């Protein structure tokens, strides 16, 4: 925890992860421009650290310049971008890569695009270390993105809070209210294929303002974005091996750390084993949190088989169209989940909910359980 002016900030992203993201950006840019001499243009003040490290990793001929624009006052974007220092050189016919520390609303990006359109550049590309998809309001494509983050205020590595924090080698986020943390709702959601878990997860996260953490989605994100953890997981998957629990929990921890100001988490697809449940408990304990409850959507296998067969007519999934494969999935679920149910029953944290009925009926049952926790 650090203090800048009147506000406290807590650790968010470590220097090692920042460097890895910048290396990936350098590789992507090199793949596009290694055969010419592009001009990298940093947007001051924030981009000076990003630019310096990007240049360390970019191994081909290039030129470097800077512009200065302003869009922040305190912790909020002013939504009013003004150019303070312009370029003094001709860039007509040149390939330009604008380097930003962070893109949120996209107002600066829009202003820069207008500036360089008038300069008649050959190519105009945007590279940003941080990107806030939730805050972005423009249709302009961002060409190279280091790390996607939630819409929260951060400092460090070039980013400041009223002038302070730019020199920090790690990135910090605005500290959350610890009283809110003590009232967090952390739910582990169980459900057999076809039980409507996905539909109900959408309901739960919306009504109770929970962050939905699906291990499947987290794996796909890390592998697609070639993160360090994604690369590590892929080495096991390529061999046909199961990804070790420590890799999975690190991915989960990373997502939790990005959403420390939330009112709680909805864990979907994790834990799957007693070892994973112990690991989750240990991690939450480091935050002075715990699993509030586990909720299982229950239904007879025969009813769910018919649901999946109906779903298979439109989903295109082969395992939704084969009765034997469906029954094998249920057998695996029963074998793996039964010990977990007993684990949480011993802690008086297990709640079974009837998963048969209309969506509205099931969500009402879930609401009753959660609101009585």
């Amino acid at each position: 925890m650090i203090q800048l002016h009147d506000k406290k900030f807590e650790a968010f992203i470590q220097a090692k992860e920042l460097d890895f993201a910048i290396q990936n950006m350098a590789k992507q840019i090199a793949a596009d421009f290694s055969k010419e001499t592009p001009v990298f243009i940093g947007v001051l003040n924030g981009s000076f650290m990003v630019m310096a490290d990007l240049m360390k990793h970019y191994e081909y001929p290039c030129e470097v310049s800077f512009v200065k624009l302003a869009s922040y006052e305190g912790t909020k974007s002013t939504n009013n971008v003004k150019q303070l220092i312009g370029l003094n050189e001709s860039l007509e016919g040149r390939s330009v890569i604008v380097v930003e520390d962070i893109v949120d609303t996209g107002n600066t990006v829009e202003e820069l695009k207008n500036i360089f359109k008038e300069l008649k550049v050959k190519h105009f590309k945007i590279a940003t270390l941080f990107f806030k998809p939730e805050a972005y309001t423009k249709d302009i494509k961002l060409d190279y993105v280091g790390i996607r983050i939630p819409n929260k205020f951060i400092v460090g590595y070039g980013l400041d809070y009223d002038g302070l924090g730019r020199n920090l080698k790690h990135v910090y986020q605005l500290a959350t209210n610890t009283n809110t943390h003590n009232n967090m709702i952390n739910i582990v959601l169980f459900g057999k294929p076809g039980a409507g878990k996905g539909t109900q997860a959408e309901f739960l996260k919306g009504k109770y303002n929970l962050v939905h953490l699906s291990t499947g989605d987290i794996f796909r994100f890390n592998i697609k974005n070639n993160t360090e953890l994604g690369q590590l997981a892929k080495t096991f998957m390529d061999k046909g091996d199961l990804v070790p629990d420590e890799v999975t929990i690190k991915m989960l921890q990373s997502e939790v750390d990005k959403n420390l100001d939330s009112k709680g988490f909805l864990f979907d697809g994790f834990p799957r084993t007693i070892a994973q449940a112990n690991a989750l408990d240990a991690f939450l304990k480091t935050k002075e949190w715990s699993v509030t409850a586990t909720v299982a959507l229950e239904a007879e296998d025969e009813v769910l088989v018919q649901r999946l067969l109906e779903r298979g007519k439109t989903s295109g999934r082969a395992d939704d169209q084969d009765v034997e494969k469906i029954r094998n999935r249920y057998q695996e679920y029963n074998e793996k989940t039964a010990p977990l149910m007993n684990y949480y029953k011993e802690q008086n944290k297990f709640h079974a909910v009837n998963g048969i009925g209309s969506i509205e009926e099931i969500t009402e049952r879930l609401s009753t359980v959660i609101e009585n926790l």
Side-chain angles (χ1 to χ4, degrees), residues 93-111:
R94 302 291 303 276
S95 292
V96 170
I97 301 154
V98 168
V99 179
E100 278 271 32
D101 52 347
I102 190 167
V103 171
D104 45 26
T105 62
N107 293 327
T108 301
V109 170
E110 186 174 57
E111 180 71 15

Side-chain angles (χ1 to χ4, degrees), residues 19-30:
D19 189 63
F20 185 79
I22 290 176
Q23 285 186 54
N24 280 336
M25 290 170 62
K27 290 177 183 177
Q28 293 172 32
I29 296 170

Side-chain angles (χ1 to χ4, degrees), residues 28-44:
Q28 293 172 32
I29 296 170
D32 293 337
F33 293 104
S34 61
K35 295 182 179 179
E36 57 179 290
T37 304
V39 181
F40 287 84
I41 298 180
V43 181
L44 295 173

Side-chain angles (χ1 to χ4, degrees), residues 194-214:
K197 186 158 59 78
T199 300
Q200 298 305 328
E202 287 297 313
F203 157 75
L204 290 174
K205 76 174 186 179
K207 182 171 183 178
Y208 298 103
N209 197 21
L210 304 178
V211 175
H212 182 202
L213 296 180
S214 164

Side-chain angles (χ1 to χ4, degrees), residues 173-186:
Q173 64 181 350
L174 195 61
T176 52
N177 189 326
T178 55
N179 291 330
T180 300
H181 283 186
N182 292 336
N183 296 320
M184 291 186 77
I185 300 175
N186 296 313

Side-chain angles (χ1 to χ4, degrees), residues 27-137:
K27 290 177 183 177
Q28 293 172 32
I29 296 170
D32 293 337
F33 293 104
S34 61
K35 295 182 179 179
E36 57 179 290
T37 304
V39 181
F40 287 84
I41 298 180
V43 181
L44 295 173
N45 290 329
S47 73
F48 73 99
M49 292 183 79
V50 181
M51 178 70 89
D53 284 344
L54 184 62
M55 291 300 95
K56 291 177 186 177
H57 295 299
Y58 191 80
E59 301 175 351
Y60 299 91
C62 65
E63 295 179 17
V64 178
S65 188
F66 290 90
V67 294
K68 190 171 184 180
L69 302 146
S71 61
Y72 267 97
E73 290 179 359
T75 61
K76 293 183 179 179
S77 174
T78 64
N79 295 318
N80 182 23
V81 177
K82 297 179 180 178
Q83 183 178 358
L84 301 180
I85 300 175
L87 292 167
N88 298 317
E89 57 191 291
S90 173
L91 295 174
E92 184 173 351
R94 302 291 303 276
S95 292
V96 170
I97 301 154
V98 168
V99 179
E100 278 271 32
D101 52 347
I102 190 167
V103 171
D104 45 26
T105 62
N107 293 327
T108 301
V109 170
E110 186 174 57
E111 180 71 15
L112 289 166
K113 183 177 180 180
N114 292 334
I115 292 170
F116 288 102
K117 183 178 180 181
E118 294 180 2
L119 296 176
K120 299 179 181 179
V121 299
K122 178 182 177 183
H123 296 294
F124 172 72
K125 303 288 184 179
I126 291 285
T128 181
L129 176 56
F130 298 110
F131 173 47
K132 298 180 180 179
E134 298 170 12
Y136 198 58
T137 61

